[in-house]
């Protein structure tokens, strides 16, 4: 007999942990991907078990309807498969109350956010979903997508456009307060989101512009938050694991590591679920947690992915098992990222670092280097510039930050004649065509790297003025091409002269 799809009736019959059905839809989530379904949705389900309320989630997929259609067919349910070397645990959150696909129905997204019943908008659209200019850090008004949204008021397709248009509609109708909660890896993500939305609204004509901005001052909040959980891509093997545990079929099971963390400011204009019952932490200062995550975890993760992919490794655990990759990861984490982060008092730094390497070594999870390395053009803009400038300002060239950029370029825009391997080729990046053209047309590696910093649209141009940093990146690219990533990592570990001392000595000589 054909097995029934996952449904609330079958979940109860399977004697799984039962999730309380939400009493209404109070949250619109932009970005119906694996991370949201294994993170915010799980916290919300756990909160509803303890304190019922109208906190169901309307999940909005950006472009593809695959997950939305599958959720509809499964009574808006799916399973989360927590994977560790010790075994798997399967749960069913059950916190969604509907789905939309923004590409197909952008107007409905605006109306959903503007609905008075909506009290919170959460966001996981990755860093590049915010249409930020890497040069100015402001809304990219030269972007074709932003220009289209400014011209077509009723059907915005960018995240910032959808929120800005919905807040305008909200302000001009019922005016009910709302909270916009970014859950992406942006520093000060709440403040950045608010600034970008205000910049979009700032293009409106008067008096609408003043009306919306004044309403936002009184009725819209944008808390900062930090989220953390490793969530690989889905595959049939996770669906099979869910079937084994549940006895019913799930076509969209989400794999995740057991570890999960969510830290945020408790600044909600219209209430919130009791997320603390799911383990969320509320604090007045999220920034130390953000920096700890974005630099220590994400920044190091990027280096592991690029070095591993270049060395033929398909997964992060396989990569970090390479001694040279593990050494490089420890060096960048402890010597270059950690000095730029004020670790929260509640966090034991040594334990946190041990936990990171344990998570990266989770062979059962098998997080792919191609997934972690994708979209580096946007990710590295959040992870490299500020720490690099801090070290350069002290007269030090951060060797492993330079190696990270070099390994990224070797993966995404390899020099003519160099094959970075299948895992690097599988990485997706919106900047790949532009950077590849620079690599093909440059007269030298140094010229290529300099053009990336000056014209590549990845990093603030102030970094291009630090010629010693640019030259070091070019050196590492050449070493990777000629001798491989292990030799490049070894070169990064070699002692380097103290540039500050050299400068002082030179001045004394003069």
């Amino acid at each position: 007999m054909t097995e029934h799809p996952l449904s609330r009736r079958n979940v109860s019959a399977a004697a799984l942990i039962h999730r309380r059905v939400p009493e209404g839809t109070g949250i619109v989530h932009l970005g119906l991907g694996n991370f949201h379904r294994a993170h915010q949705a799980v916290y919300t389900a756990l909160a509803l078990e303890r304190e019922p309320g109208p906190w169901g989630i309307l999940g909005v997929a950006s472009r593809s309807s695959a997950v939305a259609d599958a959720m509809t067919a499964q009574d808006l349910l799916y399973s989360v498969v927590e994977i560790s070397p010790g075994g798997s645990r399967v749960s069913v959150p059950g916190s969604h109350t509907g789905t939309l696909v923004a590409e197909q129905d952008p107007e409905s997204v605006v109306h959903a956010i503007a609905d008075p019943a909506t009290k919170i908008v959460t966001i996981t659209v990755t860093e590049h979903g915010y249409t930020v200019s890497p040069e100015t850090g402001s809304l990219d008004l030269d972007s074709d997508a932003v220009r289209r949204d400014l011209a077509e008021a009723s059907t915005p397709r960018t995240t910032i456009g959808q929120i800005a248009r919905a807040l305008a509609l909200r302000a001009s109708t019922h005016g009910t307060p709302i909270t916009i909660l970014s859950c992406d890896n942006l520093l000060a993500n709440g403040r950045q989101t608010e600034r970008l939305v205000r910049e979009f609204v700032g293009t409106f004509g008067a008096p609408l512009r003043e009306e919306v901005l004044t309403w936002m001052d009184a009725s819209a909040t944008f808390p900062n938050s930090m989220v953390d959980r490793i969530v690989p891509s889905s595959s049939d093997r996770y669906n099979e694991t869910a079937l084994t545990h549940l006895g019913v079929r799930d076509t969209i099971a989400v794999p995740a590591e057991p570890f999960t963390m969510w830290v945020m400011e408790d600044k909600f204009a219209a209430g919130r679920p009791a997320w603390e019952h799911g383990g969320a932490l509320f604090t007045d200062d999220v920034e130390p947690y953000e920096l700890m995550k974005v630099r220590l975890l994400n920044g190091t993760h990027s280096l592991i992915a690029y070095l591993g992919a270049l060395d033929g490794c398909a997964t992060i655990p396989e990569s970090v098992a390479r001694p040279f990759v593990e050494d490089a990861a420890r060096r960048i984490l402890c010597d270059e990222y950690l000095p730029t982060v004020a670790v929260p008092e509640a966090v034991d730094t040594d334990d946190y670092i041990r936990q990171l390497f344990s998570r990266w070594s989770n062979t059962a999870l098998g997080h792919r280097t191609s997934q972690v390395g994708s979209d580096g053009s946007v990710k590295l803009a959040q992870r490299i510039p500020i720490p690099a400038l801090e070290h350069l300002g002290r007269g030090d060239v951060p060797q492993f930050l330079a190696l990270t950029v070099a390994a990224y370029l070797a993966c995404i825009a390899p020099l003519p004649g160099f094959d970075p391997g299948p895992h690097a080729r599988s990485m997706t990046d919106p900047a790949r065509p532009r950077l590849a053209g620079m690599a093909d047309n440059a007269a030298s590696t140094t010229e290529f790297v300099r053009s990336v910093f000056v014209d590549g649209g990845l990093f603030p141009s102030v970094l291009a003025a630090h010629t010693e940093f640019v030259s070091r990146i070019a050196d590492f690219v050449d070493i990777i091409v000629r001798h491989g990533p292990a030799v490049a990592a070894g070169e990064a570990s070699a002692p380097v002269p103290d540039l500050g001392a050299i400068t002082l000595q030179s001045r004394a000589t003069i």
Side-chain angles (χ1 to χ4, degrees), residues 466-509:
H466 292 274
T467 55
E468 68 277 21
F469 186 59
V470 173
S471 296
R472 195 56 174 153
I473 294 170
D475 290 342
F476 285 135
V477 171
D478 282 336
I479 295 171
I480 289 170
V481 169
R482 295 170 184 168
H483 306 291
V487 174
E491 176 69 18
S493 299
V496 294
D498 184 336
L499 291 179
I502 291 174
T503 302
L504 290 174
Q505 184 178 13
S506 300
R507 288 177 179 172
T509 303

Coordinates of all heavy atoms in Angstrom, one line a residue, residues 466-509:
H466 N 46.5 49.3 0.7 CA 47.5 48.5 1.4 C 48.2 47.5 0.5 O 47.8 46.4 0.4 CB 46.8 47.8 2.6 CG 46.3 48.7 3.6 ND1 47.1 49.1 4.7 CD2 45.1 49.3 3.8 CE1 46.4 49.9 5.5 NE2 45.2 50.1 5.0
T467 N 49.1 48.0 -0.2 CA 49.8 47.2 -1.3 C 50.4 46.0 -0.8 O 50.5 45.0 -1.5 CB 50.8 48.1 -2.0 OG1 51.8 48.6 -1.1 CG2 50.1 49.3 -2.8
E468 N 50.9 46.0 0.5 CA 51.5 44.8 1.0 C 50.5 43.7 1.2 O 50.8 42.5 1.0 CB 52.2 45.1 2.4 CG 51.3 45.5 3.5 CD 50.8 46.9 3.6 OE1 50.8 47.6 2.5 OE2 50.4 47.4 4.6
F469 N 49.3 44.0 1.5 CA 48.2 43.0 1.7 C 47.8 42.5 0.3 O 47.7 41.2 0.1 CB 47.0 43.6 2.3 CG 45.9 42.7 2.7 CD1 46.1 41.6 3.5 CD2 44.6 42.9 2.2 CE1 45.1 40.7 3.9 CE2 43.6 42.0 2.5 CZ 43.8 40.9 3.3
V470 N 47.7 43.4 -0.7 CA 47.3 42.9 -2.0 C 48.4 42.1 -2.6 O 48.2 41.0 -3.2 CB 47.1 44.2 -2.9 CG1 46.9 43.8 -4.4 CG2 45.9 45.0 -2.5
S471 N 49.7 42.5 -2.4 CA 50.8 41.7 -2.9 C 50.9 40.3 -2.3 O 51.2 39.3 -3.0 CB 52.1 42.4 -2.7 OG 52.1 43.6 -3.4
R472 N 50.6 40.2 -1.0 CA 50.6 38.9 -0.3 C 49.5 38.0 -0.8 O 49.8 36.8 -1.0 CB 50.5 39.1 1.2 CG 50.9 37.9 2.0 CD 52.3 37.5 1.7 NE 52.8 36.4 2.6 CZ 53.7 35.6 2.2 NH1 54.3 35.7 1.0 NH2 54.1 34.6 3.1
I473 N 48.4 38.5 -1.1 CA 47.3 37.7 -1.7 C 47.8 37.2 -3.1 O 47.6 36.0 -3.4 CB 46.0 38.5 -1.8 CG1 45.4 38.9 -0.5 CG2 44.9 37.8 -2.6 CD1 44.3 39.9 -0.5
A474 N 48.4 38.0 -3.9 CA 48.8 37.6 -5.2 C 49.9 36.5 -5.0 O 49.9 35.5 -5.8 CB 49.4 38.8 -5.9
D475 N 50.8 36.7 -4.0 CA 51.8 35.6 -3.8 C 51.1 34.3 -3.5 O 51.5 33.2 -4.0 CB 52.7 36.0 -2.6 CG 53.6 37.1 -2.8 OD1 53.8 37.5 -4.0 OD2 54.1 37.7 -1.8
F476 N 50.1 34.3 -2.6 CA 49.4 33.1 -2.3 C 48.7 32.5 -3.5 O 48.6 31.2 -3.6 CB 48.5 33.3 -1.1 CG 49.1 33.4 0.2 CD1 48.8 34.5 1.1 CD2 50.2 32.6 0.6 CE1 49.4 34.6 2.3 CE2 50.8 32.7 1.8 CZ 50.4 33.8 2.7
V477 N 48.1 33.3 -4.3 CA 47.4 32.8 -5.5 C 48.5 32.0 -6.4 O 48.2 30.9 -6.9 CB 46.8 33.9 -6.3 CG1 46.3 33.4 -7.7 CG2 45.6 34.5 -5.6
D478 N 49.6 32.6 -6.6 CA 50.7 32.0 -7.4 C 51.1 30.7 -6.8 O 51.4 29.7 -7.5 CB 51.8 33.0 -7.6 CG 51.6 34.0 -8.6 OD1 50.7 33.8 -9.5 OD2 52.2 35.1 -8.5
I479 N 51.3 30.7 -5.5 CA 51.7 29.4 -4.8 C 50.7 28.3 -4.9 O 51.0 27.2 -5.2 CB 52.1 29.7 -3.3 CG1 53.2 30.7 -3.2 CG2 52.4 28.4 -2.6 CD1 53.5 31.2 -1.8
I480 N 49.4 28.7 -4.8 CA 48.4 27.7 -4.9 C 48.4 27.1 -6.4 O 48.3 25.9 -6.6 CB 47.0 28.3 -4.6 CG1 46.8 28.6 -3.1 CG2 45.8 27.4 -5.1 CD1 45.6 29.5 -2.8
V481 N 48.6 28.0 -7.3 CA 48.5 27.5 -8.7 C 49.7 26.6 -9.0 O 49.6 25.6 -9.7 CB 48.6 28.8 -9.7 CG1 48.8 28.3 -11.1 CG2 47.2 29.5 -9.6
R482 N 50.9 27.0 -8.5 CA 52.1 26.2 -8.8 C 52.4 25.0 -8.0 O 52.9 24.0 -8.4 CB 53.3 27.2 -8.8 CG 53.3 28.3 -9.8 CD 54.4 29.4 -9.5 NE 54.3 30.5 -10.5 CZ 54.9 31.6 -10.3 NH1 55.7 31.8 -9.3 NH2 54.7 32.6 -11.2
H483 N 52.0 25.2 -6.7 CA 52.4 24.1 -5.7 C 51.3 23.6 -4.9 O 51.5 22.6 -4.2 CB 53.5 24.7 -4.8 CG 54.7 25.3 -5.5 ND1 55.6 24.6 -6.2 CD2 55.1 26.6 -5.6 CE1 56.5 25.4 -6.7 NE2 56.2 26.6 -6.3
G484 N 50.1 24.2 -4.9 CA 49.0 23.6 -4.2 C 48.7 24.3 -2.9 O 49.5 25.1 -2.4
P485 N 47.5 24.1 -2.3 CA 47.1 24.8 -1.1 C 47.9 24.5 0.1 O 48.0 25.3 1.0 CB 45.6 24.4 -1.0 CG 45.5 23.1 -1.7 CD 46.5 23.2 -2.8
A486 N 48.4 23.3 0.2 CA 49.2 22.9 1.4 C 50.5 23.7 1.5 O 50.8 24.2 2.6 CB 49.5 21.4 1.4
V487 N 51.1 23.9 0.4 CA 52.3 24.7 0.4 C 52.0 26.2 0.7 O 52.7 26.9 1.4 CB 53.1 24.6 -1.0 CG1 54.3 25.6 -1.0 CG2 53.5 23.2 -1.2
A488 N 50.9 26.7 0.1 CA 50.5 28.1 0.4 C 50.2 28.2 1.9 O 50.6 29.3 2.5 CB 49.3 28.4 -0.4
A489 N 49.5 27.3 2.5 CA 49.2 27.4 4.0 C 50.5 27.3 4.8 O 50.7 28.0 5.8 CB 48.3 26.2 4.4
G490 N 51.5 26.5 4.3 CA 52.8 26.4 5.0 C 53.5 27.8 4.9 O 54.1 28.2 5.9
E491 N 53.4 28.4 3.8 CA 54.0 29.7 3.6 C 53.4 30.7 4.5 O 54.1 31.6 5.0 CB 53.9 30.1 2.1 CG 54.4 31.5 1.8 CD 56.0 31.6 1.9 OE1 56.6 30.6 1.9 OE2 56.5 32.8 2.0
A492 N 52.1 30.7 4.7 CA 51.4 31.6 5.5 C 51.8 31.4 7.0 O 51.8 32.4 7.8 CB 49.9 31.4 5.4
S493 N 52.2 30.2 7.3 CA 52.7 29.9 8.7 C 54.1 30.4 9.0 O 54.5 30.4 10.2 CB 52.5 28.4 9.0 OG 51.2 28.0 8.9
A494 N 54.9 30.7 7.9 CA 56.3 31.0 8.1 C 56.4 32.4 8.8 O 55.5 33.3 8.5 CB 57.0 31.0 6.8
P495 N 57.4 32.6 9.6 CA 57.6 33.9 10.2 C 57.7 35.0 9.1 O 58.4 34.8 8.1 CB 58.8 33.8 11.0 CG 59.0 32.3 11.2 CD 58.4 31.7 10.0
V496 N 57.1 36.2 9.4 CA 57.2 37.3 8.5 C 57.9 38.5 9.2 O 57.7 38.6 10.4 CB 55.9 37.7 7.9 CG1 55.3 36.6 7.0 CG2 54.9 38.1 9.0
P497 N 58.5 39.4 8.5 CA 59.1 40.5 9.1 C 58.0 41.4 9.7 O 56.9 41.5 9.3 CB 59.8 41.2 8.0 CG 60.0 40.2 6.9 CD 58.8 39.3 7.0
D498 N 58.4 42.1 10.8 CA 57.5 43.1 11.4 C 57.5 44.4 10.6 O 58.5 45.1 10.6 CB 57.9 43.4 12.8 CG 57.0 44.3 13.6 OD1 56.3 45.1 12.9 OD2 57.0 44.2 14.8
L499 N 56.5 44.7 9.9 CA 56.4 45.8 9.0 C 56.6 47.1 9.8 O 57.2 48.1 9.3 CB 55.1 45.9 8.2 CG 55.0 44.8 7.1 CD1 53.6 44.9 6.4 CD2 56.1 44.8 6.1
G500 N 56.0 47.1 11.0 CA 56.1 48.4 11.8 C 57.6 48.6 12.2 O 58.1 49.7 12.1
A501 N 58.3 47.5 12.5 CA 59.7 47.7 12.9 C 60.5 48.1 11.7 O 61.4 49.0 11.8 CB 60.3 46.4 13.4
I502 N 60.2 47.5 10.5 CA 60.9 47.9 9.3 C 60.7 49.4 9.0 O 61.6 50.1 8.6 CB 60.4 47.0 8.1 CG1 60.9 45.6 8.3 CG2 61.0 47.6 6.8 CD1 60.4 44.6 7.3
T503 N 59.5 49.9 9.2 CA 59.2 51.3 8.9 C 59.9 52.2 9.8 O 60.5 53.2 9.4 CB 57.6 51.5 9.0 OG1 57.0 50.7 8.1 CG2 57.3 52.9 8.7
L504 N 60.0 51.8 11.1 CA 60.7 52.6 12.1 C 62.2 52.6 11.8 O 62.8 53.7 11.8 CB 60.4 52.1 13.5 CG 59.0 52.3 14.0 CD1 58.9 51.6 15.4 CD2 58.7 53.8 14.2
Q505 N 62.7 51.5 11.4 CA 64.1 51.4 11.1 C 64.4 52.2 9.8 O 65.5 53.0 9.8 CB 64.5 49.9 10.8 CG 66.0 49.7 10.6 CD 66.4 48.3 10.4 OE1 65.5 47.5 10.2 NE2 67.6 48.0 10.4
S506 N 63.6 52.2 8.8 CA 63.8 53.0 7.6 C 63.8 54.4 7.9 O 64.6 55.2 7.5 CB 62.7 52.6 6.6 OG 62.7 51.3 6.3
R507 N 62.8 54.9 8.8 CA 62.7 56.3 9.1 C 64.0 56.7 9.9 O 64.5 57.8 9.7 CB 61.5 56.5 10.0 CG 60.2 56.4 9.2 CD 59.0 56.6 10.1 NE 57.7 56.5 9.4 CZ 56.6 56.5 10.0 NH1 56.4 56.5 11.3 NH2 55.5 56.4 9.2
A508 N 64.5 55.8 10.8 CA 65.7 56.2 11.5 C 66.9 56.4 10.6 O 67.7 57.2 10.8 CB 66.0 55.1 12.6
T509 N 66.9 55.5 9.6 CA 68.0 55.6 8.6 C 68.0 56.9 7.9 O 69.0 57.5 7.6 CB 68.0 54.4 7.6 OG1 68.0 53.2 8.4 CG2 69.1 54.4 6.7

